[in-house]
Amino acid sequence: MSFLRTQGLSESNLQYASGFVRNVHALVQEFNPQTHDILNGFLSNMLAYEHGVATTIVACLIARQTGMKADSAIKIVGLSSMLHDIGLYQMALEIQDEDQSKMNADQQKLYRTHPTVGAQILRSIRNMDDAVVQAVAQHHERRDQKGFPAKLGAGKIYQVAEIVGLSDEFVRLILKTKMNPKTDLQKELDLGVLNGFSHPVVGAFREVVFPVMEE
């Protein structure tokens, strides 16, 4: 949120995002996480929760730009973005970092299962919407078939999964920029990220983020 504010995102957008996150948090509590060890553990993990919140902030702005109605966005986009890495945080710390360049072959293979693991965990939670399960299962799929775990291509990926996936990538690039101020954020997006997503989702993302970044 602070990064987006420094880039000039309007206060109305920031307030919308803040309210959206509060609503998602309340919705998560309806699943009684204290009765589900994995969900409760995930929400108690500060790094996991902060990344989920940051991803949700970006995802809700993209979703609104695509015209998604608030109620369905909170339920589907909100839960999917908040919980998208619940499968990842059951794995070793060196895998949670998501830097595949530091992983050996076995670690990479395990890492690429985390969307499936996450979907299985969410499917076990009573009353979890199937659309949330699908979005989490597909959040690392890319239209150029360079994603995982199923290597789905254009036209086969749920739009919410794309919104979550792009938001996830953007949040990790923000962190990379903070750690290395010389990182060219827009160049990284253009060369290594945006070509993996459909035009409507990329267009909505650009309208939300790029005009702000270019001011």
Side-chain angles (χ1 to χ4, degrees):
M1 188 79 82
S2 62
F3 177 88
L4 293 173
R5 179 177 280 110
T6 61
Q7 295 300 317
L9 194 71
S10 70
E11 281 302 316
S12 62
N13 272 331
L14 291 171
Q15 289 174 11
Y16 173 81
S18 181
F20 189 97
V21 169
R22 286 196 299 271
N23 287 332
V24 173
H25 179 78
L27 184 58
V28 170
Q29 297 309 307
E30 293 181 10
F31 292 98
N32 298 313
Q34 65 274 12
T35 66
H36 194 286
D37 289 344
I38 296 178
L39 178 58
N40 193 48
F42 175 78
L43 295 173
S44 300
N45 182 314
M46 187 59 68
L47 289 176
Y49 185 72
E50 285 185 352
H51 179 69
V53 169
T55 303
T56 302
I57 288 169
V58 178
C60 78
L61 295 173
I62 297 174
R64 184 167 70 160
Q65 193 65 39
T66 65
M68 191 174 293
K69 294 182 179 180
D71 288 346
S72 60
I74 290 170
K75 185 176 182 181
I76 308 302
V77 177
L79 286 175
S80 301
S81 51
M82 183 69 77
L83 304 175
H84 71 280
D85 271 344
I86 192 169
L88 179 66
Y89 285 90
Q90 310 309 307
M91 299 178 178
L93 289 175
E94 56 269 25
I95 295 177
Q96 291 179 25
D97 185 62
E98 295 203 76
D99 186 347
Q100 294 190 69
S101 67
K102 297 179 181 178
M103 299 180 197
N104 60 38
D106 288 339
Q107 289 170 333
Q108 287 183 19
K109 184 177 180 179
L110 181 59
Y111 164 70
R112 290 171 185 168
T113 68
H114 83 262
T116 303
V117 172
Q120 291 170 344
I121 292 169
L122 295 181
R123 194 176 287 113
S124 73
I125 298 175
R126 185 177 181 183
N127 296 325
M128 183 63 68
D129 196 298
D130 287 343
V132 175
V133 175
Q134 181 184 18
V136 170
Q138 295 183 358
H139 78 275
H140 272 290
E141 300 290 354
R142 300 293 180 261
R143 70 188 306 271
D144 55 9
Q145 294 186 297
K146 293 181 179 180
F148 58 86
K151 295 189 179 297
L152 300 178
K156 296 181 180 180
I157 306 169
Y158 183 32
Q159 188 180 67
V160 174
E162 289 200 281
I163 291 173
V164 174
L166 179 50
S167 301
D168 176 36
E169 296 254 25
F170 182 57
V171 167
R172 293 195 181 282
L173 278 178
I174 290 174
L175 180 59
K176 183 177 179 179
T177 301
K178 286 184 176 182
M179 295 176 67
N180 181 8
K182 293 183 180 180
T183 301
D184 188 329
L185 186 57
Q186 291 193 47
K187 184 177 181 180
E188 295 254 1
L189 285 165
D190 289 336
L191 295 181
V193 175
L194 296 180
N195 58 349
F197 300 93
S198 64
H199 297 302
V201 171
V202 171
F205 173 78
R206 288 184 183 278
E207 289 178 32
V208 169
V209 178
F210 276 11
V212 173
M213 292 170 61
E214 291 171 353
E215 288 180 358

